[in-house]
Amino acid sequence: MTLATHDVRWGAGGRMIVDGITLSAPPGRILGLIGPNGSGKSSLLRLLCRLRGVASGVVTLDGRDIAALPRRELARRLAFVEQQATTDVQLTVCDVVRLGRTPHRAAFASWTEADEHAVEAALERVGLAERHDQPWHTLSGGERQRVHIARALAQDPRELILDEPTNHLDIQHQLSILGLIRRLGLTCIVALHDLNLASLFCDRIGVLHAGRLVASGSPENVLTPELIRQVFGVEVHIRDGVGGRRHIEYVVDVEPGERP
């Protein structure tokens, strides 16, 4: 067990948004978080990387309370990729990735050969080494998300948290990004909307509903018609898909001759 929550709670505006969640990420594997909008996925991710403090309970990293860890030490272990960000600042690809070296550098320290090697290695891992000097604003959405992941990798983390990394991407880039994440071999926690992508790429799945964890386990055990009906309010048929993973087909009620 590396990153875990133990009866974690957090709320805002008089409402409990994360309500008593206990969950752990399998080392070197992908834990997917799914649930309807407002179920607490993004809030839980921010508690995991200490962008917010828990109201009660504890988040641990290798058994240590992350609230007791120095921020620089935490940032050397754990990286967070938010939903796609934009900027009006004129940056190059390498400028963005270099931000990931901040936890490893003292204030006012000179840029080192080790820093540059980390940036180059991160770009190589995401397949963008040839874009090193390309202006950020000229990249496609999928390329920008790869650069965000490269920035996180430049931190040299062992745990990687990603908040809906496929949001607003076409299906080709969704598959490409999730395939990249799977090949990294890191402990990953990723929030997703698409249930079929979660089934295809995640080793374990945690299902959130109204701030609570209602199920966790392998995709085969978690993604059942009953649970999907309960949490998402839709009817589905499930069959075996690629590699034995579950493939979810949504039941759409249409009149004869109408297109769904």
Side-chain angles (χ1 to χ4, degrees):
M1 180 175 64
T2 56
L3 190 60
T5 66
H6 308 270
D7 198 24
V8 162
R9 288 179 169 82
W10 179 83
R15 183 169 69 92
M16 192 61 65
I17 296 172
V18 175
D19 192 0
I21 291 181
T22 297
L23 190 64
S24 62
R29 313 294 279 180
I30 298 177
L31 169 65
L33 298 180
I34 63 173
N37 287 339
S39 61
K41 300 187 299 297
S42 293
S43 295
L44 178 59
L45 294 184
R46 281 156 178 76
L47 295 172
L48 284 167
C49 55
R50 214 172 83 182
L51 290 179
R52 291 173 178 159
V54 300
S56 64
V58 64
V59 179
T60 60
L61 184 62
D62 290 340
R64 301 171 63 191
D65 185 348
I66 66 167
L69 296 176
R71 287 197 175 274
R72 185 178 293 270
E73 179 181 344
L74 182 63
R76 289 175 176 174
R77 272 289 305 270
L78 187 153
F80 180 45
V81 179
E82 299 188 72
Q83 295 186 34
Q84 287 199 25
T86 60
T87 178
D88 294 327
V89 179
Q90 296 300 308
L91 298 174
T92 64
V93 167
C94 66
D95 289 333
V96 175
V97 180
R98 282 173 176 165
L99 295 173
R101 295 303 297 164
T102 301
H104 297 273
R105 305 179 67 242
F108 309 112
S110 299
W111 190 255
T112 68
E113 184 176 340
D115 291 324
E116 192 60 35
H117 174 74
V119 169
E120 296 293 346
L123 284 170
E124 186 70 36
R125 290 181 78 180
V126 303
L128 291 178
E130 75 284 358
R131 304 296 182 91
H132 184 279
D133 297 315
Q134 184 168 333
W136 164 260
H137 70 272
T138 65
L139 300 176
S140 69
E143 290 168 339
R144 290 186 182 190
Q145 193 67 311
R146 283 178 176 266
V147 173
H148 281 307
I149 294 172
R151 187 268 306 157
L153 293 177
Q155 291 179 224
D156 196 25
R158 286 165 51 187
E159 289 80 24
L160 183 61
I161 296 175
L162 306 102
D163 190 6
E164 297 185 22
T166 58
N167 198 26
H168 303 308
L169 299 182
D170 60 42
I171 187 60
Q172 179 185 12
H173 285 104
Q174 290 179 34
L175 294 171
S176 177
I177 289 295
L178 291 173
L180 165 64
I181 292 167
R182 187 159 185 84
R183 292 191 299 273
L184 293 175
L186 300 175
T187 300
C188 295
I189 302 178
V190 52
L192 293 168
H193 269 302
D194 191 303
L195 303 187
N196 280 308
L197 290 178
S199 175
L200 187 60
F201 288 98
C202 297
D203 299 293
R204 294 184 65 81
I205 290 176
V207 185
L208 273 62
H209 184 49
R212 293 181 175 272
L213 181 71
V214 297
S216 67
S218 68
E220 294 77 15
N221 291 330
V222 168
L223 295 175
T224 65
E226 294 76 19
L227 181 135
I228 293 170
R229 182 187 309 115
Q230 171 194 346
V231 173
F232 296 93
V234 296
E235 298 292 334
V236 300
H237 296 308
I238 295 180
R239 60 177 174 82
D240 288 339
V242 176
R245 298 285 183 155
R246 313 211 90 184
H247 180 76
I248 299 161
E249 298 175 344
Y250 298 98
V251 178
V252 181
D253 187 15
V254 296
E255 294 296 327
E258 289 185 348
R259 294 178 63 87

